[in-house]
Amino acid sequence: MENRVRDCRERAGWSQGELARRLGVSRQTINAVETDKYDPSLPLALRMARLFGLEVRELFIDHWLPEDEG
């Protein structure tokens, strides 16, 4: 899964610590999400998207496609 969290955070001019404070999580959580070491829970992904004014699917891009069943 690809995410745009770092790009959105930097565009907003926030540090990882500031984003973490706004979301009520640790800076380490933000770092782990940005470096693809942790996929956020659905509630956290929803809060992140809302904070950046995006849909979840715009912030977190899943390139997975189902196998052809035909």
Side-chain angles (χ1 to χ4, degrees), residues 2-70:
E2 172 187 352
N3 76 69
R4 298 176 47 211
V5 175
R6 177 177 287 157
D7 293 336
C8 292
R9 175 183 60 76
E10 289 176 348
R11 196 171 317 117
W14 298 332
S15 66
Q16 287 182 341
E18 176 63 17
L19 179 56
R21 185 191 67 76
R22 290 171 181 261
L23 293 168
V25 298
S26 70
R27 186 201 59 78
Q28 290 84 355
T29 296
I30 299 302
N31 181 270
V33 170
E34 288 185 355
T35 58
D36 295 322
K37 294 180 179 149
Y38 173 72
D39 290 330
S41 65
L42 181 55
L44 179 56
L46 288 166
R47 288 195 309 262
M48 288 178 157
R50 188 175 303 130
L51 185 63
F52 292 125
L54 299 171
E55 297 290 328
V56 171
R57 68 176 181 254
E58 296 172 308
L59 189 58
F60 296 94
I61 299 101
D62 186 0
H63 298 285
W64 179 85
L65 295 172
E67 290 185 24
D68 183 13
E69 295 180 10

